[in-house]
Amino acid sequence: MAERRAGPKRSLLVQERSRDTRRAIVRAALDLWAQRGYETGIDETTAEEIAARAGISKATFYFHFARKEDILLETGWLTARVAYEDARRELAGNGTVDEILAGLVTGIGRRVEKVPRVAVRRMLAAQNVGNACYQTEDGERFGFERAFEVVFAHARETGELPEHVAARSLALMLTSLVMDAVRDWALADPADLCDVLRERAALLLAGARNLSVARRVAG
C-alpha cells in the first residue's frame, strides 16, 4: 500500500522537476537572446549555450525542445495559459462579461508590449511554420480561445449573451481578432495595442448580442 501511495508522489515530483527544467531553458534562452538582440541573437545562439546558461546538458535540452524555435512557441502557450488563469480568477468575481473581457485582452496586450516587436514577429513566424503536433509540457496545447471560451460560456449561463450563440465560435473569432492585432503591432502599427484589443472585444460582444435581435426580425 505504501509503495502504491509513493508512486503518484514520485510521478508528481518528476513532473514538477521537468516543468522547472523546461522553464529554466526558456529563461536562459530569453536572457541570451535579449543580451544579443533578437534580430540576430536567436539564430546566433546555439543549443549548447542555452543549455549551459540553464545549467543542464545538451541532451537534456533536446529532451525538452527539438529545436530552438520551439522555445518561442512555448512562450506563446505560456502567455495563453496565464490568460486562461486570469479568466478563471475573474469569473469568480462579480464583473460583467464586458468588464472581464476588457481586462483579459488588456492583460494580453500589456504582456505582448513588454516583448520586443522583433521577438513577437519571430514567435508568430514559429507558430506559422511550427509542427502542428507541438504540445506543452503537460501534453496540452493552449491558445487564447481557451480563456475566451470560458468567459463566453459563463456569459451565456448568466444571460449576458443569447443562449443560441456558441461560446466556442465567439472564442475562435476573438482569438483571430486578437492575433491579427498582435501581428499588426509587431509590424510597427503605431496604434495602442491594448486600445485595439478592447475595441475588438467590445465590437464582437455587440455583434453577438445583436444577433438575437436580427434573428427575431428575420423570423
Side-chain angles (χ1 to χ4, degrees):
M1 181 67 72
E3 290 182 1
R4 284 199 296 270
R5 286 198 300 268
K9 291 182 179 179
R10 283 196 294 268
S11 179
L12 289 173
L13 181 59
V14 169
Q15 290 178 20
E16 184 176 351
R17 287 175 177 171
S18 178
R19 284 194 295 269
D20 290 344
T21 299
R22 198 175 180 94
R23 290 167 184 168
I25 294 171
V26 172
R27 287 194 299 270
L30 294 178
D31 286 347
L32 287 170
W33 295 342
Q35 290 174 8
R36 298 174 180 182
Y38 282 93
E39 287 286 359
T40 59
I42 295 175
D43 295 322
E44 293 176 352
T45 303
T46 66
E48 290 90 339
E49 289 175 313
I50 296 173
R53 175 65 68 92
I56 59 172
S57 68
K58 180 180 175 181
T60 300
F61 174 93
Y62 282 116
F63 175 81
H64 290 278
F65 295 101
R67 56 194 187 127
K68 291 184 294 181
E69 288 76 8
D70 286 346
I71 298 175
L72 294 170
L73 292 173
E74 182 83 358
T75 59
W77 306 139
L78 288 174
T79 300
R81 183 184 290 277
V82 170
Y84 177 77
E85 293 169 352
D86 287 346
R88 300 293 298 186
R89 183 170 55 254
E90 290 298 323
L91 287 175
N94 297 316
T96 65
V97 63
D98 303 77
E99 293 168 340
I100 293 173
L101 274 184
L104 198 55
V105 297
T106 298
I108 291 171
R110 286 174 178 165
R111 291 185 187 98
V112 171
E113 288 176 336
K114 291 179 181 179
V115 181
R117 295 187 195 224
V118 62
V120 176
R121 291 198 296 270
R122 290 296 297 264
M123 291 177 191
L124 294 172
Q127 288 179 8
N128 290 334
V129 302
N131 186 345
C133 295
Y134 175 81
Q135 293 179 323
T136 54
E137 62 197 29
D138 54 7
E140 288 191 279
R141 181 170 177 168
F142 260 75
F144 291 129
E145 68 273 9
R146 291 283 296 272
F148 299 147
E149 186 172 1
V150 296
V151 175
F152 289 129
H154 176 78
R156 286 182 56 196
E157 293 171 1
T158 58
E160 292 185 83
L161 286 175
E163 290 185 1
H164 61 267
V165 174
R168 177 68 175 171
S169 295
L170 288 177
L172 290 173
M173 283 188 278
L174 184 53
T175 298
S176 179
L177 292 171
V178 166
M179 294 307 297
D180 183 67
V182 170
R183 289 187 188 94
D184 287 345
W185 178 85
L187 292 171
D189 186 341
D192 182 272
L193 179 58
C194 292
D195 286 345
V196 172
L197 294 180
R198 284 191 293 266
E199 180 183 51
R200 294 188 178 193
L203 288 172
L204 184 63
L205 277 175
R209 286 168 172 146
N210 193 53
L211 183 60
S212 61
V213 176
R215 284 173 65 119
R216 288 199 299 269
V217 172

